[in-house]
Amino acid sequence: MADVFKALADPTRRHILDELRERDGQTLFELCARLTSKYGLDSSRQAISQHLGILEEVGLVVTRREGRYKFHWLDTSPLRAITGRWPVNDNEGNER
């Protein structure tokens, strides 16, 4: 679980997850273009690839290779494990 928190601590990785939530199944090239246009990130493809590798290691991103292309999908199951450990309560203390 500590690895998930560490992965989420980086703003670039959070932007990547935001992009995959908005449009799942993107290639590295597509992600780089969207991150540049939407957030003004000027990270190299290699840097974004390294961020994706970390997200994949902690289970927040899953990939599938099709020919020359590698597609990336958001996997929220590690986040569900966190919320399962510390359930979200409403303002009155009742678990949601």
Side-chain angles (χ1 to χ4, degrees):
M1 198 176 302
D3 291 342
V4 173
F5 283 112
K6 187 174 180 180
L8 292 172
D10 185 278
T12 299
R13 291 194 281 269
R14 290 194 306 270
H15 289 315
I16 290 169
L17 295 175
D18 289 340
E19 285 305 308
L20 290 175
R21 183 175 182 273
E22 188 173 305
R23 186 168 166 261
D24 234 357
Q26 295 185 63
T27 64
L28 174 62
F29 180 79
E30 291 170 317
L31 278 167
C32 287
R34 289 175 63 95
L35 291 168
T36 299
S37 66
K38 193 168 183 179
Y39 302 102
L41 295 178
D42 59 351
S43 300
S44 67
R45 280 189 296 179
Q46 182 177 1
I48 299 301
S49 180
Q50 289 173 344
H51 284 298
L52 284 164
I54 291 168
L55 293 168
E56 190 173 1
E57 284 176 22
V58 301
L60 289 168
V61 168
V62 293
T63 61
R64 185 178 77 230
R65 191 170 284 284
E66 290 182 19
R68 301 180 339 169
Y69 300 101
K70 187 176 183 181
F71 296 89
H72 304 84
W73 283 270
L74 176 63
D75 182 354
T76 58
S77 56
L79 300 176
R80 286 192 300 271
I82 291 169
T83 59
R85 182 172 177 177
W86 296 295
V88 178
N89 294 328
D90 61 18
N91 291 339
E92 296 174 10
N94 300 314
E95 191 174 309
R96 287 191 242 172

